Amino acid sequence: MKAAIIAGPGQGPVYGDLPAPTPGNGECRIAVTAAAISPVVKSRASGRHYSSSGRFPFVVGIDGVGRRDDGSRVYFALPRAPYGSMAEHSVVRAAQCLLVPDGLDDVTAAAIANPGVSSWAALTERARFKAGETVLVNGATGTAGRLAVQIAKYLGAGKVIATGRDIEALKSVAALGADVTIPLIADGDALEEAFKEQFALGVDVVIDYLWGASAERLLIAAAKAGKDAVPIRFVQIGSVSGAEIT
Ligand SMILES: NC(=O)c1ccc[n+]([C@@H]2O[C@H](COP(=O)([O-])OP(=O)(O)OC[C@H]3O[C@@H](n4cnc5c(N)ncnc54)[C@H](OP(=O)(O)O)[C@@H]3O)[C@@H](O)[C@H]2O)c1
């Protein structure tokens, strides 16, 4: 079969041939129709991601959409190594397949699952979010952040605050449902003041895709202006703007 194969450390994916996978007990073979290129896929392909196995060759891609042998259309995640989703066929445990509803096309289903689940799981599982609460999405202009704003609204958020460094992109996030937008301006003190204003009014959950300088200012503002005895659930998901805070 044809696949996007990484042959060795430091090499990019190459369109090549690999024997098609044979499903074992409890596994499904997938005829792939769409595969996602998310940050984790790029990071694993480059060998930098903490979950990279370090074993070669392997097929790029951790999730996608396709047809099982029985014809059912599924979203699948985490194929058995060395197989991946960027190939004609993949193989995955049956429990890691979800039926895709009619009306949702293959490409959209493949593309939204990973970024969408990041905030869905953060809100429902980690933060135990309740309808009516206020959610702040730090880094709301990317794929995952835009979905986080919409998912928070869908789950009944009373107020969603969105941050981003691109003013035009922030306007489009407001159009998606963000009630308040905070531009991530270079002046850290002014940014801290903007955060403090919101924490004084009350913030229940922070979904953070950025870490780095903005998360640092946000945490300081929460400590200074957050209401006494009201716990703020901070869920860090990404570190796009920096791996460290001081
Ligand atoms: N743990 C999980 O399950 C999970 C799942 C999904 C995503 N994630 C992580 O979440 C993060 C976002 O993913 P994504 O799919 O939304 O990526 P994306 O679509 O590429 O979006 C990245 C966003 O980060 C912004 N950004 C980049 N550098 C920045 C900086 N220095 N300061 C402020 N903003 C900056 C970009 O803004 P501009 O538009 O201005 O460039 C863009 O809005 C990644 O770290 C990803 O690995 C984790």
Side-chain angles (χ1 to χ4, degrees):
M1 67 170 181
K2 293 294 183 189
I5 301 163
I6 294 198
Q11 298 185 25
V14 170
Y15 182 66
D17 292 287
L18 204 71
T22 307
N25 258 354
E27 289 185 332
C28 297
R29 175 172 31 221
I30 312 282
V32 182
T33 52
I37 307 178
S38 48
V40 61
V41 168
K42 289 188 260 186
S43 181
R44 276 174 67 140
S46 72
R48 287 194 311 269
H49 198 259
Y50 61 86
S51 68
S52 302
S53 74
R55 289 198 298 271
F56 300 92
F58 70 92
V59 178
V60 183
I62 63 159
D63 62 348
V65 169
R67 298 247 174 217
R68 290 189 287 209
D69 288 352
D70 65 5
S72 55
R73 195 168 66 103
V74 292
Y75 165 79
F76 66 97
L78 303 176
R80 165 167 44 95
Y83 300 103
S85 55
M86 293 189 193
E88 287 180 275
H89 289 94
S90 195
V91 66
V92 64
R93 287 199 296 131
Q96 286 159 214
C97 294
L98 274 179
L99 285 172
V100 177
D102 294 341
L104 182 58
D105 67 88
D106 294 6
V107 169
T108 306
I112 65 171
N114 173 275
V117 165
S118 72
S119 56
W120 183 280
L123 286 167
T124 60
E125 297 293 325
R126 184 67 76 178
R128 301 284 171 196
F129 164 82
K130 292 185 277 303
E133 290 186 322
T134 294
V135 177
L136 190 158
V137 181
N138 192 35
T141 56
T143 313
R146 284 170 187 273
L147 283 164
V149 168
Q150 294 168 85
I151 286 167
K153 279 286 175 179
Y154 175 83
L155 292 173
K159 177 174 159 190
V160 175
I161 304 155
T163 79
R165 64 180 175 176
D166 180 329
I167 305 296
E168 287 308 309
L170 260 187
K171 285 182 191 159
S172 66
V173 174
L176 291 174
D179 302 287
V180 176
T181 56
I182 300 179
L184 295 174
I185 43 179
D187 180 342
D189 290 340
L191 178 61
E192 193 178 306
E193 285 308 311
F195 280 141
K196 275 165 75 177
E197 202 176 301
Q198 293 304 320
F199 280 102
L201 293 170
V203 174
D204 301 292
V205 179
V206 177
I207 304 288
D208 177 43
Y209 290 103
L210 299 180
W211 204 232
S214 63
E216 193 172 308
R217 289 295 179 165
L218 192 156
L219 286 165
I220 292 169
K224 287 183 178 168
K227 293 182 173 174
D228 287 345
V230 178
I232 299 162
R233 289 98 85 200
F234 184 105
V235 188
Q236 195 231 337
I237 298 176
S239 49
V240 175
S241 73
E244 307 286 341
I245 60 172
T246 53

